[in-house]
Amino acid sequence: MSQPANPATPRPDAPSSAQTQGPPGGDSDDLARFGYRQELERSLGSFSSFAAGFSYISIMTGVFQLFGFGFGSGGPAFIWSWPLVFIGQGAVALCFAEVAGQFPLAGGVYQWSKHIARPATSWMAGWVMTIGAVVTAAAVAVAYQIILPQVSLAFQIVGGSADAGVTSTPNGAKNAILLALGLVVFTTLVNIIGVRLMAKINNVGVAVELIGVTLLIVMLAIHIHRGPQVVMHTAGTGSGQSMGYLGAFLVASIMSAYVFYGFDTAGSLAEETREPRRHAPRAILRALTAAFLAGGLLMLVGMMAVGDINAKQLGTLGMPYLIKSTLGNGLGNVFLVCSAIAITVCCLAVQTAAIRLLFAMARDGRLPFGASIARVSPKSKTPVVPAVLTGVLTIALLLVNIGNQRVFYILTSVAIILFYIPYLMVTVPMLLRRLRGQWPRPDHGPYFNLGRWGLPVNAFAVLYGAAMTVNLAWPRAAVYGNDHWYFQWGAVVFVAVIVAVGAGLYLTRRHKEPAAAPPAEPVAEELVVPEA
């Protein structure tokens, strides 16, 4: 994949070779060539970069959280959505790996879009993804309800045993919000303290998750008593669907789509990573691949090992039920605790990425009160205001939805859509540049390059992203219900409102952005960004 860049005709505003290849003076000098000074603490290594992306994907969060939804919607055959979504998001990740090596800047998708698309596109990518990160943090935090009450009823603060492990009852929904609030307060405090503490907690959490999921696969494999042909069973989920099993499968695919996003987080922490041009592209691809292998094996072996593959609890209590019914309560609870740790670091990673995104946009003068939002604490080397802001917004979103039994799946679906749209705001402009012969640039340097595979991979990434966005937003009753229009059309309406508000803010702010200060040496105009 690291072949020399294809020849291309450079644009007048293309960056100089010194900028794309990186300076010999180190990471801080490299950052200065983009018009920024080193303010964040650059202390993360290759494993921390990988861990940031892997903990965001988090197998023991997503699979434990939504296996029941996928299984209940599509039967055992829903697992085929796993490799299909991996291939689609794998194409997106390959595109991201190219830009991550070229623009090692805090803010990830926002920065990448800024350097290959128009200002309005990059603004909207950053704005939508910021809201998406807040919604994702809420959706991840709600997952505590799926795990903790099944470990001990002491965590079922509201309600009783009938509400433990579910969000579909009024008391289960209320308890989910209460547990989620505690998690968000914790992650906010950690992010305020600094990136070193965040990285230590995240690294330990990822190590626990990797070890835990590996041991879990082995333990389940010992109990296998049916063959892999189980993945061909649909459990009759296609009956009553207008498109037969295809309709059920499209609903079930939301489970896989929910797990496979957030791998771009390694790029969001580029200004805190040593040698980010080298580490970030690898971290993005490794995180996605590791999640695919671990999650796929866990679900496959689990369905081959569970005692009763037709048990209704597989569609309601999901993976926690599968594990405890197969391995017993004692050993099962050990793995549920591992899942709770994974949920904790996943929520931490989601908020960390959101903080860097807000910081990057504020530093560019693209947010109201940008100077305050972009201010980095001299003690913690962390932008404190974005940490507080993301925490408060996530808590507010949770409180608004307290007691709503549908909040879980609505938050989940909307969160995914609010990431797929910004992803398209990178892959679509990149595809247009490829078609014009402007990407990769002649001075791409020795960093990750798709070479001759770039065009087909990029085109597939765009087609997949657009198709899955439509699938996620489709106002189907199986996800959003059909008793109230504002629930059924909730995803479409919510996204439309977010885009409309973002457009209004952009039109208000675009004439207020400060002029760029001249850099120390000649670089491309679009890469010189002022400090707020």
Side-chain angles (χ1 to χ4, degrees), residues 196-226:
R196 282 183 180 270
L197 178 61
M198 183 282 297
K200 288 178 181 178
I201 294 174
N202 195 54
N203 289 352
V204 170
V206 168
V208 168
E209 182 170 6
L210 288 171
I211 294 171
V213 76
T214 301
L215 291 176
L216 179 55
I217 291 169
V218 172
M219 294 300 297
L220 288 172
I222 294 173
H223 293 78
I224 285 178
H225 62 270
R226 68 175 58 85

Coordinates of all heavy atoms in Angstrom, one line a residue, residues 196-226:
R196 N -2.5 12.6 29.7 CA -1.7 11.4 30.2 C -2.5 10.5 31.0 O -2.5 9.3 30.8 CB -0.5 12.0 31.1 CG 0.7 12.5 30.3 CD 1.7 13.0 31.3 NE 2.9 13.5 30.6 CZ 3.9 12.8 30.2 NH1 3.9 11.5 30.4 NH2 4.9 13.3 29.5
L197 N -3.4 11.0 31.9 CA -4.3 10.2 32.6 C -5.3 9.5 31.7 O -5.6 8.3 31.9 CB -5.1 11.0 33.7 CG -6.1 10.2 34.5 CD1 -5.4 9.1 35.3 CD2 -6.8 11.2 35.5
M198 N -5.8 10.2 30.8 CA -6.7 9.6 29.8 C -6.1 8.5 29.1 O -6.7 7.4 28.9 CB -7.2 10.7 28.8 CG -8.2 10.2 27.7 SD -7.6 9.2 26.4 CE -6.5 10.4 25.6
A199 N -4.8 8.6 28.6 CA -4.1 7.6 27.9 C -3.9 6.4 28.8 O -4.0 5.2 28.3 CB -2.8 8.1 27.3
K200 N -3.5 6.6 30.0 CA -3.2 5.5 30.9 C -4.5 4.7 31.2 O -4.5 3.4 31.1 CB -2.7 6.0 32.2 CG -1.2 6.5 32.2 CD -0.8 7.1 33.5 CE 0.6 7.6 33.4 NZ 1.1 8.2 34.7
I201 N -5.6 5.3 31.4 CA -6.8 4.6 31.7 C -7.3 3.9 30.4 O -7.7 2.8 30.4 CB -7.9 5.6 32.1 CG1 -7.6 6.2 33.5 CG2 -9.3 4.9 32.1 CD1 -8.5 7.2 34.0
N202 N -7.1 4.6 29.3 CA -7.6 4.0 28.0 C -6.7 2.8 27.6 O -7.2 1.8 27.2 CB -7.5 5.1 26.9 CG -8.2 4.7 25.6 OD1 -9.4 4.4 25.7 ND2 -7.5 4.7 24.5
N203 N -5.4 2.9 27.8 CA -4.5 1.8 27.5 C -4.8 0.6 28.3 O -4.8 -0.6 27.8 CB -3.1 2.2 27.7 CG -2.6 3.2 26.6 OD1 -3.3 3.5 25.6 ND2 -1.4 3.8 26.8
V204 N -5.0 0.8 29.6 CA -5.4 -0.3 30.5 C -6.7 -0.9 30.1 O -6.9 -2.1 30.0 CB -5.4 0.2 32.0 CG1 -6.0 -0.9 32.9 CG2 -4.1 0.6 32.5
G205 N -7.7 -0.1 29.8 CA -9.0 -0.5 29.4 C -8.9 -1.4 28.1 O -9.6 -2.4 28.0
V206 N -8.1 -0.9 27.1 CA -8.0 -1.6 25.9 C -7.3 -3.0 26.1 O -7.7 -4.0 25.5 CB -7.3 -0.8 24.8 CG1 -6.9 -1.6 23.6 CG2 -8.1 0.4 24.4
A207 N -6.3 -3.0 27.0 CA -5.6 -4.2 27.3 C -6.5 -5.2 27.9 O -6.5 -6.4 27.6 CB -4.4 -3.9 28.2
V208 N -7.4 -4.7 28.9 CA -8.4 -5.6 29.5 C -9.3 -6.1 28.5 O -9.7 -7.3 28.5 CB -9.1 -4.8 30.6 CG1 -10.3 -5.6 31.1 CG2 -8.2 -4.5 31.8
E209 N -9.7 -5.3 27.5 CA -10.7 -5.7 26.5 C -10.1 -6.7 25.6 O -10.8 -7.7 25.2 CB -11.2 -4.5 25.7 CG -12.2 -4.8 24.7 CD -12.9 -3.6 24.1 OE1 -12.5 -2.5 24.4 OE2 -13.9 -3.8 23.3
L210 N -8.9 -6.5 25.1 CA -8.2 -7.4 24.2 C -8.0 -8.8 24.9 O -8.3 -9.8 24.3 CB -6.9 -6.9 23.7 CG -7.0 -5.7 22.8 CD1 -5.6 -5.1 22.6 CD2 -7.6 -6.1 21.4
I211 N -7.6 -8.8 26.1 CA -7.4 -10.0 26.8 C -8.7 -10.7 27.1 O -8.9 -11.9 26.9 CB -6.6 -9.8 28.2 CG1 -5.2 -9.3 27.9 CG2 -6.6 -11.1 29.0 CD1 -4.4 -8.8 29.1
G212 N -9.7 -9.9 27.6 CA -11.0 -10.4 27.9 C -11.7 -11.0 26.7 O -12.2 -12.1 26.8
V213 N -11.7 -10.3 25.6 CA -12.4 -10.9 24.4 C -11.7 -12.1 23.9 O -12.4 -13.1 23.4 CB -12.6 -9.8 23.4 CG1 -11.3 -9.6 22.6 CG2 -13.7 -10.2 22.4
T214 N -10.4 -12.2 24.0 CA -9.7 -13.4 23.5 C -10.0 -14.6 24.4 O -10.3 -15.7 23.9 CB -8.2 -13.1 23.6 OG1 -7.8 -12.0 22.7 CG2 -7.4 -14.3 23.1
L215 N -10.0 -14.4 25.7 CA -10.3 -15.5 26.7 C -11.8 -15.9 26.5 O -12.1 -17.1 26.6 CB -10.0 -15.0 28.1 CG -8.6 -14.8 28.5 CD1 -8.5 -14.3 29.9 CD2 -7.8 -16.2 28.3
L216 N -12.6 -14.9 26.3 CA -14.1 -15.2 26.1 C -14.3 -16.1 24.9 O -15.1 -17.1 24.9 CB -14.8 -13.9 26.0 CG -16.4 -14.0 25.8 CD1 -17.0 -14.9 26.9 CD2 -17.0 -12.7 25.7
I217 N -13.6 -15.8 23.8 CA -13.7 -16.6 22.6 C -13.3 -18.0 22.8 O -13.9 -19.0 22.4 CB -12.9 -15.9 21.4 CG1 -13.6 -14.6 21.0 CG2 -12.8 -16.9 20.2 CD1 -12.8 -13.8 20.0
V218 N -12.2 -18.1 23.5 CA -11.6 -19.5 23.8 C -12.6 -20.3 24.7 O -12.9 -21.4 24.5 CB -10.2 -19.3 24.5 CG1 -9.8 -20.7 25.0 CG2 -9.2 -18.8 23.6
M219 N -13.1 -19.6 25.8 CA -14.0 -20.3 26.7 C -15.3 -20.7 26.0 O -15.8 -21.8 26.2 CB -14.4 -19.4 27.9 CG -13.2 -19.0 28.8 SD -12.4 -20.5 29.5 CE -13.8 -21.1 30.5
L220 N -15.8 -19.8 25.1 CA -17.0 -20.2 24.4 C -16.7 -21.3 23.4 O -17.6 -22.2 23.2 CB -17.6 -19.0 23.6 CG -18.2 -17.9 24.5 CD1 -18.6 -16.7 23.6 CD2 -19.5 -18.4 25.2
A221 N -15.6 -21.3 22.8 CA -15.2 -22.4 21.8 C -15.2 -23.7 22.5 O -15.5 -24.8 21.8 CB -13.8 -22.1 21.2
I222 N -14.8 -23.8 23.8 CA -14.8 -25.1 24.5 C -16.2 -25.7 24.6 O -16.4 -26.9 24.6 CB -14.2 -24.9 25.9 CG1 -12.7 -24.5 25.8 CG2 -14.4 -26.1 26.8 CD1 -12.1 -24.1 27.1
H223 N -17.2 -24.8 24.6 CA -18.6 -25.3 24.7 C -19.4 -25.4 23.4 O -20.6 -25.6 23.4 CB -19.4 -24.3 25.6 CG -18.9 -24.2 27.0 ND1 -17.8 -23.6 27.4 CD2 -19.4 -24.8 28.2 CE1 -17.6 -23.7 28.7 NE2 -18.6 -24.5 29.2
I224 N -18.7 -25.3 22.3 CA -19.3 -25.4 21.0 C -20.0 -26.8 20.8 O -19.5 -27.8 21.1 CB -18.3 -25.3 19.8 CG1 -17.9 -23.8 19.7 CG2 -18.9 -25.8 18.5 CD1 -16.9 -23.5 18.6
H225 N -21.3 -26.8 20.4 CA -22.0 -28.0 20.2 C -22.9 -27.9 18.9 O -23.8 -28.7 18.8 CB -22.8 -28.5 21.4 CG -23.9 -27.5 21.8 ND1 -23.7 -26.5 22.7 CD2 -25.2 -27.4 21.4 CE1 -24.8 -25.9 22.9 NE2 -25.7 -26.4 22.1
R226 N -22.7 -26.9 18.1 CA -23.3 -26.9 16.8 C -22.4 -26.3 15.8 O -21.4 -25.6 16.1 CB -24.6 -26.1 16.8 CG -24.5 -24.6 17.0 CD -25.8 -23.9 16.9 NE -26.8 -24.4 17.9 CZ -26.9 -24.0 19.2 NH1 -26.1 -23.1 19.6 NH2 -27.8 -24.5 20.0

